Amino acid sequence: MLEEAVTLYELAHNYDKVLEILNEELSRKLMPNDKAHEHINEIAVSVESRTLNANTSLRKQFLLLLDLYKFHKLYHSGHDKLEEALSVISRLQIIPLQQETINHRVQAFKSFSDELRRCIPDILIMVMSILNKLYKNASKSGSSLYGAQNKQAQKIRDQARVVMRFAGMLPYSMPGDTHAQLSMLDAPMRY
């Protein structure tokens, strides 16, 4: 049914409606890792180039959701893709990883659509999970690079502090277990 709706609105050259439908579906299917998830992404990628004349804000959100899909896919691709996933989040500038960007990201959050806001709790958990895994890897001792590992571990710890502070500053009521999950992921990086 989704494909038919997209096709009909495309035939009518109503690309704003195409993007509205896809943005809603992408935001709902962004986090599950299943065939429906893959299918909606395939549809979105196939119409992306034909939506150049659509509403700018709808298109911007659409492209952001497609990039979040890439982040999600990298996150689930295994340990060797975690740094790449973190760099995607950094490039998208929705979750801060540096202290000086927190206030700007909180202000930007206020302008996010409901579809994007709905994804933020899961994205925060995935980012903190990445930081947790990278921290554990950087903290392993027994190498002559202990000083370099310690610097990397400290950088990751600092990034985790920023993510936690950002989560606490959001003017949004997140699901109750989000803060608990973030805290559990953050705890090993505190000391």
Side-chain angles (χ1 to χ4, degrees):
M1 180 146 158
L2 172 70
E3 280 182 86
E4 291 85 6
V6 168
T7 301
L8 286 173
Y9 283 114
E10 254 194 297
L11 289 171
H13 299 287
N14 188 345
Y15 293 107
D16 289 352
K17 192 64 175 173
V18 168
L19 290 181
E20 284 176 22
I21 292 168
L22 288 174
N23 287 349
E24 179 67 30
E25 287 299 310
L26 279 170
S27 70
R28 277 199 264 140
K29 302 273 193 297
L30 185 63
M31 295 309 146
N33 202 13
D34 57 16
K35 289 189 189 279
H37 183 233
E38 289 288 331
H39 184 67
I40 185 65
N41 186 63
E42 289 169 6
I43 294 170
V45 168
S46 74
V47 301
E48 188 265 327
S49 64
R50 295 187 300 272
T51 62
L52 295 173
N53 295 327
N55 174 294
T56 305
S57 104
L58 284 173
R59 182 159 167 74
K60 184 178 176 182
Q61 178 183 331
F62 174 71
L63 295 174
L64 180 60
L65 287 166
L66 282 178
D67 282 339
L68 286 172
Y69 173 82
K70 290 174 196 168
F71 163 75
H72 182 265
K73 194 166 182 143
L74 287 167
Y75 173 79
H76 286 288
S77 294
H79 192 73
D80 57 326
K81 298 288 186 179
L82 294 179
E83 287 188 32
E84 190 177 345
L86 199 59
S87 73
V88 168
I89 282 297
S90 181
R91 181 179 51 81
L92 294 177
Q93 300 182 355
I94 57 173
I95 307 292
L97 295 172
Q98 288 127 4
Q99 183 69 31
E100 59 274 4
T101 61
I102 293 175
N103 290 333
H104 177 72
R105 299 291 189 273
V106 170
Q107 290 304 316
F109 176 85
K110 293 176 183 177
S111 68
F112 289 169
S113 67
D114 288 340
E115 291 87 5
L116 184 54
R117 285 183 191 180
R118 212 179 8 243
C119 299
I120 295 297
D122 290 324
I123 295 167
L124 283 168
I125 290 169
M126 286 191 290
V127 168
M128 191 59 91
S129 176
I130 290 170
L131 292 172
N132 180 288
K133 290 172 185 173
L134 293 175
Y135 178 79
K136 286 177 183 175
N137 191 45
S139 297
K140 290 179 183 172
S141 59
S143 164
S144 63
L145 298 173
Y146 182 74
Q149 285 179 332
N150 198 19
K151 281 185 180 180
Q152 181 64 15
Q154 182 59 47
K155 177 184 175 192
I156 295 167
R157 230 184 347 258
D158 292 344
Q159 290 174 324
R161 292 289 80 64
V162 169
V163 172
M164 291 298 288
R165 186 161 176 236
F166 173 72
M169 293 175 68
L170 289 178
Y172 177 72
S173 180
M174 290 193 273
D177 67 330
T178 301
H179 287 289
Q181 288 180 14
L182 290 172
S183 293
M184 283 183 357
L185 290 165
D186 180 49
M189 295 183 274
R190 289 198 174 257
Y191 307 102

